[in-house]
Amino acid sequence: MATKKLPHKIETRLINAPTEVVWESLTNKTFLEKWWWLKPATGFISSLDVRPGGLFHYEINNIEPTINADFIFIEVIKNQRLVMTNALTRELKPTLSAVPETIIFQLKPKGTLTELSIDVLTRDFDSLQWLWENHYLAAWYYCLDTMQVIAEQFTQMRSPSPTPPAQP
């Protein structure tokens, strides 16, 4: 029997930052709170337990309706792969999420750059279409743009300044 692939959307970015910095952008609360939601919305992360079975809980407020979301980390391979889903609870039971999704982040070093691929898997085509029509995927791209800028700026700030040319 052939297996049927879930509907998904893949986005790939080449980020001018080392893999370790991109990983921190995905797994560090301070970094995440700078890019995870669209401005002018504000929010906070109340739980970020980056390990298999760990909880990522956040709230986005000052929008209607307020969003409270839980993701469970399924797979965590530092600096390489991060898989999380809102389709399951920590007890691995199905959630009541209206649009269950699984997000797969893949990181690959490319010299001094990092290739970041994000694969958003949904339960069915209708869910993927809903994400598209409600601008969820466009919002994702905007947030990823913001994350990319933050990672690149952080890399520039921590890089040693170039040696000035010798005086003649």
Side-chain angles (χ1 to χ4, degrees):
M1 177 172 130
T3 58
K4 192 174 176 182
K5 272 190 103 171
L6 290 172
H8 64 107
K9 175 67 177 137
I10 297 177
E11 173 75 4
T12 301
R13 304 283 176 103
L14 197 56
I15 300 174
N16 189 10
T19 304
E20 297 78 19
V21 171
V22 176
W23 180 261
E24 283 295 309
S25 299
L26 297 171
T27 61
N28 178 295
K29 181 179 175 182
T30 303
F31 274 108
L32 278 169
E33 287 182 334
K34 292 178 191 262
W35 70 267
W36 191 257
W37 41 80
L38 286 174
K39 304 298 182 233
T42 58
F44 63 91
I45 296 170
S46 61
S47 180
L48 184 62
D49 183 7
V50 184
R51 63 180 173 87
L55 176 66
F56 172 31
H57 176 84
Y58 62 92
E59 180 177 309
I60 302 173
N61 42 42
N62 84 326
I63 60 170
E64 288 299 326
T66 295
I67 297 172
N68 279 289
D70 286 335
F71 278 85
I72 303 303
F73 291 103
I74 304 298
E75 183 178 19
V76 178
I77 303 172
K78 188 173 182 176
N79 299 327
Q80 294 178 34
R81 185 174 164 94
L82 186 65
V83 181
M84 59 187 192
T85 187
N86 68 352
L88 298 172
T89 66
R90 292 178 88 173
E91 295 78 29
L92 300 179
K93 295 180 180 175
T95 64
L96 300 176
S97 175
V99 183
E101 61 185 318
T102 298
I103 304 169
I104 303 169
F105 296 95
Q106 293 266 111
L107 292 81
K108 292 180 187 169
K110 298 283 184 182
T112 59
L113 309 175
T114 300
E115 181 182 275
L116 174 64
S117 295
I118 304 97
D119 194 355
V120 179
L121 292 92
T122 60
R123 154 181 65 209
D124 52 34
F125 182 76
D126 289 341
S127 297
L128 186 62
Q129 186 173 357
W130 183 93
L131 292 172
W132 184 261
E133 289 172 356
N134 288 280
H135 310 288
Y136 174 87
L137 294 175
W140 249 106
Y141 299 152
Y142 180 82
C143 290
L144 290 170
D145 288 344
T146 303
M147 185 273 290
Q148 182 171 350
V149 168
I150 290 168
E152 290 174 353
Q153 287 175 345
F154 181 76
T155 299
Q156 289 173 353
M157 287 184 341
R158 71 179 209 157
S159 296
S161 40
T163 307
Q167 295 294 325

